[in-house]
Amino acid sequence: MAAPVIRSVTADPTVLLPGQSTTVRVDTYHPDSRLLTLSGRVSDPTGAAWDSPVRVDLSVPLTVQLGSTSPGVTVTPYPGDPTRFTVTVLGGRGTVTLTATARDAAGRTGTAATTVTVPLLVGMSTEKGAPTQRAVAAYPGIRYMRDFGADGGDADALPELPPLNAGKFVDAPSAVMHVSWKDDVEQLTGWLDGLSRPIYLTWYHEPMGDVAPGTYRTTATRVAQIVAAHRNRRWVLGHGPIVTRYWLDEGRGNPTDWGYPGMTHYGVDCYSRDTATYWPVARMFGVAFGKVRAAYPGIRLLVPEYGLSRTTADTTGAGRAQAIRDHVTWLRQQNDVDAVAYWNNWAEFELGDPPLESTAWRNLQLV
C-alpha cells in the first residue's frame, strides 16, 4: 500500500509579530482511497423506477498533525476541521518551520512543511503620557517601544517596574515593550505574575559609571534566574544589558563588563549628533556590534534607542530620510538583530516637519 501524500501546507498570514497567530491548512490525501460509482435502478411505492448511480466512499482515514521545533510556538487544532490549525508564535525575529504529518492506520506517513517569519521590529520611543499617545497616533505601526519604569516614591530615586495596566502598556497596545528598571530586582517575580504580552527586559540600562561591573553581573544574573523559574516566562522574549555605541566605540568599553549568565540579548543605543554628515552603517553600528559579537558569539542584538541629528546642509530632511532608510535596511540584513526603536524624544533627533523623515520612519515600521 502507498503512503499518505500532502499536497500543500499553507499559512495565512506568513509574517507574524511576536504573540500573533496564523491559520495553517494542510491539503492531504491517501493514494489508496477510492470513490466507486455503481450503476443501479431504484423505484418508489407507485412502481415508478429510474436509474441512479450509487457512490461508495472507500477513502483511507488519515490523522493530521502539525508541529514545530522552534521555541515559543503553540499549535492548536481547529475545532471540527482536522486539517486546520491555529499557530501562535511567541518568539523573536527569525524563521519558524511548521511541519505537517499525515498518518494512516497502518502507520505510514507523509510530511511537508511551510514557514512563517517574525521580522525586525521597527518602533519608536518617547516620553510617557501625551507624547506617547501622539506618537502612536502619528506612527500607528509601532512594533517596539521602550518603557523605563518610574520611581514609585519609595526611599530611593530608582525607577521601579512600570504598571501593566496603565501608561505605555495601555497607550501602545500593539508594541512589544522593552522594559527597564533600576530598583530591586526581586520585585520582578511579582510583576511577572500579571504579564500577558511579549516583552524584552533589562535591569539598569546604561549602567556605565553608575554600577560596578561585578555588582551588575551578580544582580542581573538574578533576572535570568527569576525569568527561568517563572510560570509566565514564555512572555519574556529575551533579556540582557544595554550600553551605548559611544561607550563601546570611542570609549573603548569592554562588553564583558555587563554580560551575565543566562542573558539572551545585548542592547546598544546608537546615536549620531554629527551635523556635518550622516554616518555609514560601519560607523553607526559596525564597531559596537563587532565588539559584542566577538565577546558573545551567537548573542541576539537590539538597538533600543536610535537617533540622528539632521545635518546643517539637509534643509529639506531628504538626506536624513535616506540615511535612516539605509540604516534600517542594513539592520534587516543582520540576522542577529531583533529590534530598533527611534528615539523621538529630544529636539535634536525628533522626526518633525517637514515630513520626509517621519514618512520614511512610518513606512519602515510597516515592512
Side-chain angles (χ1 to χ4, degrees), residues 1-5 29-34 58-62 102-110:
M1 294 180 70
V5 174
Y29 73 100
H30 200 290
D32 292 333
S33 294
R34 296 289 184 271
L58 300 177
S59 60
V60 178
L62 297 176
R103 180 178 285 104
D104 65 17
R108 289 176 287 266
T109 61

Side-chain angles (χ1 to χ4, degrees), residues 92-330:
R93 182 185 180 191
T95 300
V96 174
T97 300
L98 303 168
T99 302
T101 301
R103 180 178 285 104
D104 65 17
R108 289 176 287 266
T109 61
T111 62
T114 191
T115 61
V116 296
T117 59
V118 178
L120 175 77
L121 301 179
V122 180
M124 177 174 282
S125 292
T126 186
E127 289 294 333
K128 299 176 184 292
T132 291
Q133 294 164 9
R134 288 194 296 268
V136 171
Y139 299 85
I142 292 175
R143 295 174 172 178
Y144 174 65
M145 180 178 286
R146 298 286 279 115
D147 192 334
F148 296 91
D151 179 41
D154 55 2
D156 57 49
L158 297 175
E160 296 153 10
L161 286 158
L164 292 168
N165 58 356
K168 289 191 174 185
F169 273 82
V170 172
D171 292 337
S174 63
V176 173
M177 211 62 69
H178 188 154
V179 174
S180 292
W181 82 111
K182 296 183 178 182
D183 212 331
D184 184 12
V185 168
E186 299 304 322
Q187 68 180 251
L188 179 60
T189 297
W191 187 82
L192 289 173
D193 287 344
L195 188 64
S196 60
R197 62 188 275 186
I199 61 164
Y200 289 101
L201 277 175
T202 292
W203 180 73
Y204 217 112
H205 89 283
E206 297 183 8
M208 312 86 70
D210 290 344
V211 183
T215 301
Y216 181 90
R217 291 192 297 268
T218 299
T219 308
T221 298
R222 281 293 295 142
V223 174
Q225 294 167 347
I226 291 171
V227 170
H230 201 278
R231 59 182 173 81
N232 278 341
R233 62 185 177 273
R234 68 186 182 280
W235 296 111
V236 181
L237 302 179
H239 56 87
I242 298 172
V243 300
T244 64
R245 182 213 64 81
Y246 182 89
W247 181 81
L248 284 169
D249 192 344
E250 288 94 326
R252 295 191 171 99
N254 185 347
T256 62
D257 285 355
W258 317 109
Y260 58 89
M263 70 176 184
T264 61
H265 288 69
Y266 209 110
V268 184
D269 292 341
C270 297
Y271 291 105
S272 169
R273 290 180 168 88
D274 193 336
T275 57
T277 187
Y278 294 117
W279 293 354
V281 293
R283 184 175 181 186
M284 193 73 189
F285 309 108
V287 174
F289 281 12
K291 294 182 75 170
V292 174
R293 286 164 169 162
Y296 299 104
I299 197 76
R300 305 297 301 176
L301 296 170
L302 298 163
V303 186
E305 300 174 30
Y306 161 76
L308 299 177
S309 294
R310 188 192 293 177
T311 62
T312 304
D314 186 14
T315 57
T316 68
R320 186 161 62 156
Q322 187 58 53
I324 63 177
R325 282 193 292 266
D326 291 344
H327 286 169
V328 174
T329 296
W330 185 84

Side-chain angles (χ1 to χ4, degrees), residues 68-88:
S68 177
T69 59
S70 299
V73 176
T74 301
V75 179
T76 304
Y78 198 84
D81 186 347
T83 65
R84 185 176 175 185
F85 303 85
T86 299
V87 176
T88 303

